[in-house]
Amino acid sequence: MPQRPEGPGPRWGLVAIPILWIVAVTVVDVLAPPDIHLGPLLVAAPAITPSFGGPRTVGAVAALAVVAQTLIGVIRDPDDLLSANHEAQIIALMLVGVSLVVFCVVRERRAKELSQVRHVSEAAQRVVLPPLPGRLGPLRASALYLAAEAEARIGGDLYAAARTTSGTRLIVGDVRGKGLTAVSDAALLLGAFRVAAHREAGLSELVAYLDRSVCWDLMEPGETGRLGETFITAVIMDIPDQNGPVRMISCGHPPPIVLRDGRPTTMHARHPAPPLGLGDLAHPRYEIDSFPFGPGDLLLLYTDGVTEARDASGAFYPLTDRITGWDGSSPDAFLHRLRHDLLRYVGGPLTDDAAMIGVQRPALPGT
């Protein structure tokens, strides 16, 4: 949809273009030899006006074109007020003008509807996927969501954090599939996590509960056909407030990365679990992995939309190679740089949603 410039200055400056065109065509047509007729060129004026003007502007320009065509006919044929040729051109201009005004009215109505849909979508995103707070106890945090669709505000990627008595619980996940079904499954898992994460249950019990929650949803009436077809990859972890290792269970999700002094280290799970929603098929035992996370370290979690992004040659985005040597002193600055580098590598919009979360333990207490 054409975008009209903001403010009255650029808009009225653009309106001068069709007006000047009408004046120029009128003058040239009046001065031209009798066998040359330039009146049909007047239709260009109202035709280009919808690209920057609304219904009233288009109607005014179309009316001015009709007046100009009438004036041309009167001046060129003073004995005969209007020839049949000029009458046909005037009628054609009127029809074109009316059609363009109707088009502009419909366009603005659709634009208002689209604006309302965007507001609803943004509100839904804030409810389903609210932004992470900048502080999680002593930790600093930041999150970034890149939607594959230009008008999308929410998708199947998810993340959430919850405070406990001794630390922070964090989940990052990716729902298989797209569309409203993926959004619904993401909302289900996030709701289950927010309900259970504050309890004193261990990490294994929490992951088992989340798996059952997803499985129960698939067993609802009318959803049995999705059993085994819909699942959610996720990584769930406990990050202690005091210096200590991070405890993690990875359910088929890309491994987190710890950036220490500009050197990234991939924390592969030694005891990986199947994705959430496949527990009734795999009957897994959720075993906990751990890795160090000291002062000054930056923990990066992400979905496969990051590592599966491709450049023009089809090569995947080499995440660890690209972030080697980066400054990890601020999660916000780090994710901003990662977003810019990722989009520059792809050279356009992503083909899949991507979520990135940065968590940092400050080097000095209270920073």
Side-chain angles (χ1 to χ4, degrees):
M1 183 178 298
Q3 299 294 321
R4 275 180 278 164
E6 298 292 337
R11 181 180 178 183
W12 288 114
L14 292 174
V15 170
I17 297 176
I19 294 177
L20 292 176
W21 177 259
I22 292 173
V23 172
V25 172
T26 302
V27 172
V28 174
D29 198 4
V30 169
L31 300 178
D35 57 334
I36 297 178
H37 299 278
L38 302 180
L41 295 178
L42 291 172
V43 74
I48 65 173
T49 306
S51 62
F52 54 83
R56 294 181 180 179
T57 305
V58 173
V61 172
L64 183 60
V66 171
V67 171
Q69 183 62 60
T70 304
L71 182 63
I72 292 173
V74 171
I75 295 176
R76 297 196 62 166
D77 299 310
D79 297 334
D80 187 4
L81 186 59
L82 285 177
S83 65
N85 178 52
H86 286 102
E87 290 180 355
Q89 293 181 25
I90 291 172
I91 294 174
L93 273 175
M94 294 175 63
L95 292 176
V96 170
V98 171
S99 300
L100 290 172
V101 170
V102 172
F103 164 77
C104 289
V105 170
V106 174
R107 183 190 64 179
E108 292 203 348
R109 187 176 300 171
R110 295 291 177 84
K112 290 180 181 179
E113 293 175 355
L114 179 59
S115 178
Q116 293 175 350
V117 170
R118 285 175 176 170
H119 287 310
V120 172
S121 177
E122 291 170 358
Q125 183 189 36
R126 287 192 294 269
V127 172
V128 177
L129 197 65
L132 286 182
R135 284 281 185 176
L136 296 170
L139 307 175
R140 290 190 291 178
S142 181
L144 181 64
Y145 194 101
L146 296 178
E149 298 294 335
E151 300 299 335
R153 294 293 186 272
I154 190 170
D157 290 2
L158 58 97
Y159 55 81
R163 291 287 297 157
T164 65
T165 56
S166 60
T168 299
R169 279 184 167 169
L170 192 65
I171 183 173
V172 179
D174 185 4
V175 180
R176 177 187 179 273
K178 297 181 180 180
L180 294 178
T181 300
V183 175
S184 175
D185 292 338
L188 166 76
L189 181 60
L190 288 173
F193 175 81
R194 292 175 182 131
V195 168
H198 300 281
R199 300 175 182 173
E200 296 301 323
L203 194 61
S204 298
E205 289 79 5
L206 172 61
V207 176
Y209 171 78
L210 297 178
D211 180 79
R212 290 195 300 272
S213 298
V214 177
C215 290
W216 290 338
D217 179 64
L218 300 182
M219 295 177 65
E220 293 293 328
E223 299 293 330
T224 55
R226 296 173 58 199
L227 188 61
E229 296 183 1
T230 298
F231 54 83
I232 304 174
T233 66
V235 58
I236 304 95
M237 56 180 57
D238 276 334
I239 307 176
D241 287 344
Q242 305 300 323
N243 293 341
V246 174
R247 303 171 72 244
M248 171 188 74
I249 294 179
S250 178
C251 301
H253 199 74
I257 295 174
V258 173
L259 189 71
R260 179 179 298 121
D261 298 327
R263 296 189 301 272
T265 303
T266 302
M267 301 301 174
H268 294 285
R270 294 186 298 272
H271 307 96
L276 301 175
L278 299 182
D280 285 351
L281 301 178
H283 304 289
R285 294 180 57 189
Y286 297 107
E287 300 187 35
I288 298 175
D289 292 302
S290 62
F291 57 86
F293 184 52
D297 292 350
L298 187 141
L299 174 63
L300 174 63
L301 301 104
Y302 53 94
T303 59
D304 59 9
V306 176
T307 52
E308 293 182 359
R310 299 172 182 262
D311 63 4
S313 65
F316 290 115
Y317 181 73
L319 178 58
T320 54
D321 293 340
R322 304 285 289 196
I323 65 175
T324 299
W326 286 16
D327 179 18
S329 60
S330 168
D332 284 331
F334 181 86
L335 292 186
H336 178 77
R337 183 176 179 181
L338 179 57
R339 173 187 180 277
H340 181 267
D341 186 72
L342 178 63
L343 295 179
R344 183 177 60 180
Y345 180 87
V346 174
L350 300 179
T351 58
D352 190 12
D353 294 344
M356 295 163 272
I357 297 89
V359 180
Q360 185 187 45
R361 190 186 297 283
L364 298 175
T367 61

mmCIF file of all heavy atoms in Angstrom, residues 49-96:
data_model
loop_
_atom_site.group_PDB
_atom_site.id
_atom_site.type_symbol
_atom_site.label_atom_id
_atom_site.label_comp_id
_atom_site.label_asym_id
_atom_site.label_seq_id
_atom_site.Cartn_x
_atom_site.Cartn_y
_atom_site.Cartn_z
ATOM 1 N N THR A 49 -2.403 10.943 -8.147
ATOM 2 C CA THR A 49 -2.700 11.573 -6.859
ATOM 3 C C THR A 49 -2.935 10.573 -5.729
ATOM 4 O O THR A 49 -2.553 10.838 -4.591
ATOM 5 C CB THR A 49 -3.900 12.518 -7.002
ATOM 6 O OG1 THR A 49 -3.651 13.443 -8.073
ATOM 7 C CG2 THR A 49 -4.140 13.302 -5.731
ATOM 8 N N PRO A 50 -3.566 9.395 -5.944
ATOM 9 C CA PRO A 50 -3.759 8.461 -4.827
ATOM 10 C C PRO A 50 -2.459 7.975 -4.183
ATOM 11 O O PRO A 50 -2.506 7.460 -3.058
ATOM 12 C CB PRO A 50 -4.516 7.295 -5.484
ATOM 13 C CG PRO A 50 -5.217 7.895 -6.634
ATOM 14 C CD PRO A 50 -4.293 8.941 -7.154
ATOM 15 N N SER A 51 -1.331 8.130 -4.863
ATOM 16 C CA SER A 51 -0.076 7.666 -4.275
ATOM 17 C C SER A 51 0.348 8.515 -3.084
ATOM 18 O O SER A 51 1.194 8.084 -2.291
ATOM 19 C CB SER A 51 1.027 7.658 -5.331
ATOM 20 O OG SER A 51 1.271 8.963 -5.825
ATOM 21 N N PHE A 52 -0.231 9.710 -2.950
ATOM 22 C CA PHE A 52 0.136 10.563 -1.815
ATOM 23 C C PHE A 52 -1.049 11.304 -1.208
ATOM 24 O O PHE A 52 -0.897 11.969 -0.186
ATOM 25 C CB PHE A 52 1.184 11.605 -2.243
ATOM 26 C CG PHE A 52 0.791 12.435 -3.423
ATOM 27 C CD1 PHE A 52 -0.022 13.550 -3.279
ATOM 28 C CD2 PHE A 52 1.229 12.094 -4.700
ATOM 29 C CE1 PHE A 52 -0.390 14.307 -4.379
ATOM 30 C CE2 PHE A 52 0.874 12.851 -5.805
ATOM 31 C CZ PHE A 52 0.062 13.966 -5.647
ATOM 32 N N GLY A 53 -2.222 11.213 -1.814
ATOM 33 C CA GLY A 53 -3.372 11.962 -1.326
ATOM 34 C C GLY A 53 -4.536 11.076 -0.965
ATOM 35 O O GLY A 53 -4.616 9.912 -1.360
ATOM 36 N N GLY A 54 -5.467 11.661 -0.196
ATOM 37 C CA GLY A 54 -6.670 10.959 0.197
ATOM 38 C C GLY A 54 -7.819 11.200 -0.751
ATOM 39 O O GLY A 54 -7.658 11.809 -1.821
ATOM 40 N N PRO A 55 -9.031 10.752 -0.396
ATOM 41 C CA PRO A 55 -10.184 10.892 -1.299
ATOM 42 C C PRO A 55 -10.493 12.338 -1.669
ATOM 43 O O PRO A 55 -10.812 12.633 -2.823
ATOM 44 C CB PRO A 55 -11.330 10.263 -0.495
ATOM 45 C CG PRO A 55 -10.675 9.356 0.486
ATOM 46 C CD PRO A 55 -9.379 9.994 0.822
ATOM 47 N N ARG A 56 -10.398 13.263 -0.705
ATOM 48 C CA ARG A 56 -10.722 14.655 -1.004
ATOM 49 C C ARG A 56 -9.718 15.261 -1.978
ATOM 50 O O ARG A 56 -10.101 15.987 -2.905
ATOM 51 C CB ARG A 56 -10.756 15.463 0.286
ATOM 52 C CG ARG A 56 -11.896 15.058 1.225
ATOM 53 C CD ARG A 56 -11.890 15.924 2.477
ATOM 54 N NE ARG A 56 -12.980 15.541 3.377
ATOM 55 C CZ ARG A 56 -13.213 16.119 4.552
ATOM 56 N NH1 ARG A 56 -12.428 17.116 4.957
ATOM 57 N NH2 ARG A 56 -14.211 15.713 5.302
ATOM 58 N N THR A 57 -8.451 14.962 -1.770
ATOM 59 C CA THR A 57 -7.425 15.493 -2.673
ATOM 60 C C THR A 57 -7.608 14.934 -4.075
ATOM 61 O O THR A 57 -7.508 15.670 -5.069
ATOM 62 C CB THR A 57 -6.022 15.149 -2.147
ATOM 63 O OG1 THR A 57 -5.894 15.621 -0.810
ATOM 64 C CG2 THR A 57 -4.945 15.759 -3.008
ATOM 65 N N VAL A 58 -7.862 13.634 -4.159
ATOM 66 C CA VAL A 58 -8.071 13.007 -5.474
ATOM 67 C C VAL A 58 -9.303 13.605 -6.152
ATOM 68 O O VAL A 58 -9.288 13.901 -7.356
ATOM 69 C CB VAL A 58 -8.215 11.483 -5.319
ATOM 70 C CG1 VAL A 58 -8.607 10.844 -6.652
ATOM 71 C CG2 VAL A 58 -6.922 10.879 -4.809
ATOM 72 N N GLY A 59 -10.385 13.796 -5.393
ATOM 73 C CA GLY A 59 -11.589 14.377 -5.977
ATOM 74 C C GLY A 59 -11.364 15.794 -6.472
ATOM 75 O O GLY A 59 -11.864 16.179 -7.543
ATOM 76 N N ALA A 60 -10.581 16.589 -5.707
ATOM 77 C CA ALA A 60 -10.308 17.957 -6.130
ATOM 78 C C ALA A 60 -9.482 17.996 -7.408
ATOM 79 O O ALA A 60 -9.755 18.783 -8.324
ATOM 80 C CB ALA A 60 -9.586 18.709 -5.007
ATOM 81 N N VAL A 61 -8.465 17.135 -7.494
ATOM 82 C CA VAL A 61 -7.624 17.094 -8.698
ATOM 83 C C VAL A 61 -8.437 16.605 -9.889
ATOM 84 O O VAL A 61 -8.313 17.136 -11.015
ATOM 85 C CB VAL A 61 -6.389 16.202 -8.462
ATOM 86 C CG1 VAL A 61 -5.618 15.992 -9.761
ATOM 87 C CG2 VAL A 61 -5.482 16.820 -7.398
ATOM 88 N N ALA A 62 -9.280 15.591 -9.687
ATOM 89 C CA ALA A 62 -10.121 15.095 -10.787
ATOM 90 C C ALA A 62 -11.086 16.174 -11.262
ATOM 91 O O ALA A 62 -11.299 16.340 -12.478
ATOM 92 C CB ALA A 62 -10.880 13.852 -10.332
ATOM 93 N N ALA A 63 -11.674 16.915 -10.321
ATOM 94 C CA ALA A 63 -12.583 18.002 -10.709
ATOM 95 C C ALA A 63 -11.838 19.082 -11.482
ATOM 96 O O ALA A 63 -12.359 19.634 -12.472
ATOM 97 C CB ALA A 63 -13.240 18.600 -9.459
ATOM 98 N N LEU A 64 -10.610 19.390 -11.056
ATOM 99 C CA LEU A 64 -9.811 20.383 -11.769
ATOM 100 C C LEU A 64 -9.495 19.900 -13.185
ATOM 101 O O LEU A 64 -9.507 20.699 -14.144
ATOM 102 C CB LEU A 64 -8.522 20.662 -10.997
ATOM 103 C CG LEU A 64 -7.597 21.749 -11.569
ATOM 104 C CD1 LEU A 64 -8.324 23.086 -11.636
ATOM 105 C CD2 LEU A 64 -6.332 21.857 -10.728
ATOM 106 N N ALA A 65 -9.234 18.604 -13.345
ATOM 107 C CA ALA A 65 -8.968 18.062 -14.679
ATOM 108 C C ALA A 65 -10.213 18.170 -15.573
ATOM 109 O O ALA A 65 -10.110 18.468 -16.772
ATOM 110 C CB ALA A 65 -8.505 16.610 -14.563
ATOM 111 N N VAL A 66 -11.389 17.918 -14.993
ATOM 112 C CA VAL A 66 -12.638 18.047 -15.762
ATOM 113 C C VAL A 66 -12.850 19.500 -16.189
ATOM 114 O O VAL A 66 -13.221 19.784 -17.337
ATOM 115 C CB VAL A 66 -13.823 17.538 -14.933
ATOM 116 C CG1 VAL A 66 -15.147 17.872 -15.630
ATOM 117 C CG2 VAL A 66 -13.713 16.035 -14.705
ATOM 118 N N VAL A 67 -12.598 20.437 -15.273
ATOM 119 C CA VAL A 67 -12.730 21.862 -15.620
ATOM 120 C C VAL A 67 -11.761 22.241 -16.732
ATOM 121 O O VAL A 67 -12.108 22.974 -17.673
ATOM 122 C CB VAL A 67 -12.491 22.728 -14.362
ATOM 123 C CG1 VAL A 67 -12.407 24.203 -14.740
ATOM 124 C CG2 VAL A 67 -13.606 22.496 -13.350
ATOM 125 N N ALA A 68 -10.517 21.734 -16.632
ATOM 126 C CA ALA A 68 -9.520 22.045 -17.655
ATOM 127 C C ALA A 68 -9.938 21.486 -19.011
ATOM 128 O O ALA A 68 -9.791 22.159 -20.051
ATOM 129 C CB ALA A 68 -8.164 21.477 -17.240
ATOM 130 N N GLN A 69 -10.468 20.255 -19.038
ATOM 131 C CA GLN A 69 -10.906 19.674 -20.299
ATOM 132 C C GLN A 69 -12.082 20.458 -20.890
ATOM 133 O O GLN A 69 -12.160 20.672 -22.112
ATOM 134 C CB GLN A 69 -11.318 18.219 -20.082
ATOM 135 C CG GLN A 69 -11.735 17.493 -21.357
ATOM 136 C CD GLN A 69 -10.614 17.406 -22.367
ATOM 137 O OE1 GLN A 69 -9.573 16.836 -22.095
ATOM 138 N NE2 GLN A 69 -10.818 17.995 -23.550
ATOM 139 N N THR A 70 -12.977 20.915 -20.021
ATOM 140 C CA THR A 70 -14.096 21.736 -20.491
ATOM 141 C C THR A 70 -13.591 23.064 -21.053
ATOM 142 O O THR A 70 -14.055 23.535 -22.114
ATOM 143 C CB THR A 70 -15.071 21.995 -19.341
ATOM 144 O OG1 THR A 70 -15.499 20.746 -18.788
ATOM 145 C CG2 THR A 70 -16.284 22.778 -19.828
ATOM 146 N N LEU A 71 -12.626 23.650 -20.368
ATOM 147 C CA LEU A 71 -12.059 24.918 -20.830
ATOM 148 C C LEU A 71 -11.368 24.747 -22.178
ATOM 149 O O LEU A 71 -11.502 25.601 -23.070
ATOM 150 C CB LEU A 71 -11.077 25.449 -19.786
ATOM 151 C CG LEU A 71 -10.410 26.801 -20.093
ATOM 152 C CD1 LEU A 71 -11.473 27.896 -20.178
ATOM 153 C CD2 LEU A 71 -9.374 27.133 -19.030
ATOM 154 N N ILE A 72 -10.651 23.658 -22.345
ATOM 155 C CA ILE A 72 -9.996 23.389 -23.632
ATOM 156 C C ILE A 72 -11.039 23.298 -24.745
ATOM 157 O O ILE A 72 -10.880 23.856 -25.844
ATOM 158 C CB ILE A 72 -9.161 22.104 -23.555
ATOM 159 C CG1 ILE A 72 -7.957 22.301 -22.629
ATOM 160 C CG2 ILE A 72 -8.686 21.682 -24.949
ATOM 161 C CD1 ILE A 72 -7.184 21.014 -22.363
ATOM 162 N N GLY A 73 -12.145 22.580 -24.475
ATOM 163 C CA GLY A 73 -13.181 22.425 -25.494
ATOM 164 C C GLY A 73 -13.828 23.742 -25.862
ATOM 165 O O GLY A 73 -14.116 24.004 -27.043
ATOM 166 N N VAL A 74 -14.066 24.599 -24.865
ATOM 167 C CA VAL A 74 -14.704 25.897 -25.136
ATOM 168 C C VAL A 74 -13.776 26.789 -25.937
ATOM 169 O O VAL A 74 -14.205 27.484 -26.889
ATOM 170 C CB VAL A 74 -15.107 26.562 -23.809
ATOM 171 C CG1 VAL A 74 -15.575 27.995 -24.058
ATOM 172 C CG2 VAL A 74 -16.198 25.751 -23.117
ATOM 173 N N ILE A 75 -12.483 26.813 -25.589
ATOM 174 C CA ILE A 75 -11.539 27.697 -26.279
ATOM 175 C C ILE A 75 -11.271 27.216 -27.700
ATOM 176 O O ILE A 75 -11.210 28.014 -28.650
ATOM 177 C CB ILE A 75 -10.226 27.798 -25.488
ATOM 178 C CG1 ILE A 75 -10.482 28.490 -24.136
ATOM 179 C CG2 ILE A 75 -9.165 28.551 -26.268
ATOM 180 C CD1 ILE A 75 -9.268 28.547 -23.240
ATOM 181 N N ARG A 76 -11.119 25.910 -27.889
ATOM 182 C CA ARG A 76 -10.754 25.393 -29.214
ATOM 183 C C ARG A 76 -11.947 25.362 -30.153
ATOM 184 O O ARG A 76 -11.759 25.357 -31.373
ATOM 185 C CB ARG A 76 -10.151 23.991 -29.077
ATOM 186 C CG ARG A 76 -8.854 23.979 -28.281
ATOM 187 C CD ARG A 76 -8.091 22.706 -28.472
ATOM 188 N NE ARG A 76 -7.687 22.510 -29.867
ATOM 189 C CZ ARG A 76 -6.785 21.612 -30.260
ATOM 190 N NH1 ARG A 76 -6.188 20.835 -29.362
ATOM 191 N NH2 ARG A 76 -6.476 21.488 -31.535
ATOM 192 N N ASP A 77 -13.179 25.268 -29.657
ATOM 193 C CA ASP A 77 -14.369 25.238 -30.501
ATOM 194 C C ASP A 77 -15.339 26.328 -30.043
ATOM 195 O O ASP A 77 -16.393 26.042 -29.455
ATOM 196 C CB ASP A 77 -15.050 23.862 -30.445
ATOM 197 C CG ASP A 77 -14.128 22.767 -30.933
ATOM 198 O OD1 ASP A 77 -13.554 22.923 -32.017
ATOM 199 O OD2 ASP A 77 -13.976 21.746 -30.220
ATOM 200 N N PRO A 78 -15.017 27.603 -30.269
ATOM 201 C CA PRO A 78 -15.890 28.682 -29.782
ATOM 202 C C PRO A 78 -17.256 28.688 -30.455
ATOM 203 O O PRO A 78 -18.242 29.081 -29.839
ATOM 204 C CB PRO A 78 -15.096 29.947 -30.117
ATOM 205 C CG PRO A 78 -14.172 29.547 -31.236
ATOM 206 C CD PRO A 78 -13.844 28.121 -31.018
ATOM 207 N N ASP A 79 -17.329 28.251 -31.708
ATOM 208 C CA ASP A 79 -18.618 28.243 -32.400
ATOM 209 C C ASP A 79 -19.514 27.121 -31.880
ATOM 210 O O ASP A 79 -20.724 27.303 -31.750
ATOM 211 C CB ASP A 79 -18.404 28.083 -33.916
ATOM 212 C CG ASP A 79 -17.630 29.269 -34.499
ATOM 213 O OD1 ASP A 79 -17.712 30.369 -33.898
ATOM 214 O OD2 ASP A 79 -16.925 29.059 -35.510
ATOM 215 N N ASP A 80 -18.908 25.967 -31.670
ATOM 216 C CA ASP A 80 -19.637 24.819 -31.129
ATOM 217 C C ASP A 80 -19.171 24.637 -29.681
ATOM 218 O O ASP A 80 -18.001 24.345 -29.432
ATOM 219 C CB ASP A 80 -19.336 23.563 -31.960
ATOM 220 C CG ASP A 80 -20.214 22.390 -31.534
ATOM 221 O OD1 ASP A 80 -21.086 22.603 -30.668
ATOM 222 O OD2 ASP A 80 -19.998 21.282 -32.049
ATOM 223 N N LEU A 81 -20.057 24.852 -28.701
ATOM 224 C CA LEU A 81 -19.643 24.911 -27.293
ATOM 225 C C LEU A 81 -18.762 23.719 -26.897
ATOM 226 O O LEU A 81 -17.686 23.899 -26.348
ATOM 227 C CB LEU A 81 -20.885 24.964 -26.400
ATOM 228 C CG LEU A 81 -20.610 25.164 -24.904
ATOM 229 C CD1 LEU A 81 -19.850 26.446 -24.682
ATOM 230 C CD2 LEU A 81 -21.910 25.150 -24.117
ATOM 231 N N LEU A 82 -19.189 22.536 -27.210
ATOM 232 C CA LEU A 82 -18.391 21.335 -26.937
ATOM 233 C C LEU A 82 -18.636 20.331 -28.046
ATOM 234 O O LEU A 82 -19.784 20.011 -28.354
ATOM 235 C CB LEU A 82 -18.760 20.711 -25.586
ATOM 236 C CG LEU A 82 -18.251 21.423 -24.319
ATOM 237 C CD1 LEU A 82 -18.776 20.723 -23.081
ATOM 238 C CD2 LEU A 82 -16.721 21.460 -24.290
ATOM 239 N N SER A 83 -17.555 19.847 -28.618
ATOM 240 C CA SER A 83 -17.679 18.808 -29.640
ATOM 241 C C SER A 83 -17.927 17.461 -28.967
ATOM 242 O O SER A 83 -17.745 17.303 -27.757
ATOM 243 C CB SER A 83 -16.399 18.748 -30.487
ATOM 244 O OG SER A 83 -15.305 18.329 -29.678
ATOM 245 N N ALA A 84 -18.347 16.493 -29.773
ATOM 246 C CA ALA A 84 -18.593 15.153 -29.242
ATOM 247 C C ALA A 84 -17.309 14.553 -28.654
ATOM 248 O O ALA A 84 -17.336 13.822 -27.652
ATOM 249 C CB ALA A 84 -19.152 14.250 -30.350
ATOM 250 N N ASN A 85 -16.171 14.857 -29.284
ATOM 251 C CA ASN A 85 -14.891 14.344 -28.797
ATOM 252 C C ASN A 85 -14.602 14.866 -27.390
ATOM 253 O O ASN A 85 -14.197 14.116 -26.486
ATOM 254 C CB ASN A 85 -13.777 14.736 -29.765
ATOM 255 C CG ASN A 85 -12.408 14.257 -29.280
ATOM 256 O OD1 ASN A 85 -12.228 13.091 -28.975
ATOM 257 N ND2 ASN A 85 -11.448 15.175 -29.217
ATOM 258 N N HIS A 86 -14.807 16.168 -27.187
ATOM 259 C CA HIS A 86 -14.551 16.747 -25.869
ATOM 260 C C HIS A 86 -15.554 16.247 -24.832
ATOM 261 O O HIS A 86 -15.198 16.034 -23.659
ATOM 262 C CB HIS A 86 -14.578 18.280 -25.945
ATOM 263 C CG HIS A 86 -13.365 18.865 -26.593
ATOM 264 N ND1 HIS A 86 -13.358 19.325 -27.895
ATOM 265 C CD2 HIS A 86 -12.100 19.059 -26.125
ATOM 266 C CE1 HIS A 86 -12.142 19.784 -28.203
ATOM 267 N NE2 HIS A 86 -11.361 19.641 -27.134
ATOM 268 N N GLU A 87 -16.795 16.090 -25.234
ATOM 269 C CA GLU A 87 -17.778 15.555 -24.302
ATOM 270 C C GLU A 87 -17.394 14.149 -23.846
ATOM 271 O O GLU A 87 -17.515 13.813 -22.653
ATOM 272 C CB GLU A 87 -19.159 15.532 -24.961
ATOM 273 C CG GLU A 87 -19.752 16.912 -25.163
ATOM 274 C CD GLU A 87 -21.115 16.861 -25.822
ATOM 275 O OE1 GLU A 87 -21.524 15.729 -26.202
ATOM 276 O OE2 GLU A 87 -21.768 17.906 -25.951
ATOM 277 N N ALA A 88 -16.914 13.322 -24.781
ATOM 278 C CA ALA A 88 -16.487 11.964 -24.426
ATOM 279 C C ALA A 88 -15.304 12.001 -23.469
ATOM 280 O O ALA A 88 -15.224 11.222 -22.501
ATOM 281 C CB ALA A 88 -16.139 11.174 -25.685
ATOM 282 N N GLN A 89 -14.355 12.914 -23.718
ATOM 283 C CA GLN A 89 -13.195 13.019 -22.831
ATOM 284 C C GLN A 89 -13.601 13.495 -21.433
ATOM 285 O O GLN A 89 -13.057 13.036 -20.419
ATOM 286 C CB GLN A 89 -12.169 13.967 -23.443
ATOM 287 C CG GLN A 89 -11.526 13.444 -24.725
ATOM 288 C CD GLN A 89 -10.485 14.408 -25.288
ATOM 289 O OE1 GLN A 89 -9.916 15.198 -24.558
ATOM 290 N NE2 GLN A 89 -10.253 14.317 -26.596
ATOM 291 N N ILE A 90 -14.553 14.415 -21.377
ATOM 292 C CA ILE A 90 -15.013 14.907 -20.073
ATOM 293 C C ILE A 90 -15.703 13.783 -19.294
ATOM 294 O O ILE A 90 -15.464 13.594 -18.084
ATOM 295 C CB ILE A 90 -15.963 16.104 -20.269
ATOM 296 C CG1 ILE A 90 -15.178 17.305 -20.789
ATOM 297 C CG2 ILE A 90 -16.665 16.452 -18.960
ATOM 298 C CD1 ILE A 90 -16.059 18.484 -21.197
ATOM 299 N N ILE A 91 -16.555 13.025 -19.968
ATOM 300 C CA ILE A 91 -17.238 11.913 -19.301
ATOM 301 C C ILE A 91 -16.226 10.877 -18.819
ATOM 302 O O ILE A 91 -16.331 10.338 -17.700
ATOM 303 C CB ILE A 91 -18.267 11.272 -20.252
ATOM 304 C CG1 ILE A 91 -19.396 12.278 -20.551
ATOM 305 C CG2 ILE A 91 -18.842 9.991 -19.662
ATOM 306 C CD1 ILE A 91 -20.381 11.793 -21.596
ATOM 307 N N ALA A 92 -15.216 10.595 -19.646
ATOM 308 C CA ALA A 92 -14.186 9.635 -19.253
ATOM 309 C C ALA A 92 -13.420 10.124 -18.022
ATOM 310 O O ALA A 92 -13.140 9.352 -17.089
ATOM 311 C CB ALA A 92 -13.222 9.392 -20.413
ATOM 312 N N LEU A 93 -13.077 11.411 -17.992
ATOM 313 C CA LEU A 93 -12.385 11.973 -16.830
ATOM 314 C C LEU A 93 -13.247 11.873 -15.567
ATOM 315 O O LEU A 93 -12.747 11.562 -14.474
ATOM 316 C CB LEU A 93 -12.013 13.428 -17.091
ATOM 317 C CG LEU A 93 -10.682 13.698 -17.798
ATOM 318 C CD1 LEU A 93 -10.535 15.183 -18.077
ATOM 319 C CD2 LEU A 93 -9.515 13.203 -16.943
ATOM 320 N N MET A 94 -14.535 12.120 -15.706
ATOM 321 C CA MET A 94 -15.423 12.035 -14.551
ATOM 322 C C MET A 94 -15.499 10.605 -14.021
ATOM 323 O O MET A 94 -15.467 10.380 -12.801
ATOM 324 C CB MET A 94 -16.813 12.550 -14.933
ATOM 325 C CG MET A 94 -16.843 14.038 -15.265
ATOM 326 S SD MET A 94 -18.461 14.605 -15.839
ATOM 327 C CE MET A 94 -19.457 14.288 -14.396
ATOM 328 N N LEU A 95 -15.595 9.641 -14.924
ATOM 329 C CA LEU A 95 -15.646 8.237 -14.498
ATOM 330 C C LEU A 95 -14.351 7.819 -13.806
ATOM 331 O O LEU A 95 -14.371 7.150 -12.771
ATOM 332 C CB LEU A 95 -15.927 7.337 -15.702
ATOM 333 C CG LEU A 95 -17.315 7.453 -16.334
ATOM 334 C CD1 LEU A 95 -17.421 6.575 -17.578
ATOM 335 C CD2 LEU A 95 -18.387 7.057 -15.319
ATOM 336 N N VAL A 96 -13.213 8.232 -14.386
ATOM 337 C CA VAL A 96 -11.929 7.905 -13.771
ATOM 338 C C VAL A 96 -11.814 8.552 -12.398
ATOM 339 O O VAL A 96 -11.374 7.933 -11.415
ATOM 340 C CB VAL A 96 -10.765 8.346 -14.681
ATOM 341 C CG1 VAL A 96 -9.429 8.231 -13.945
ATOM 342 C CG2 VAL A 96 -10.730 7.507 -15.943
#
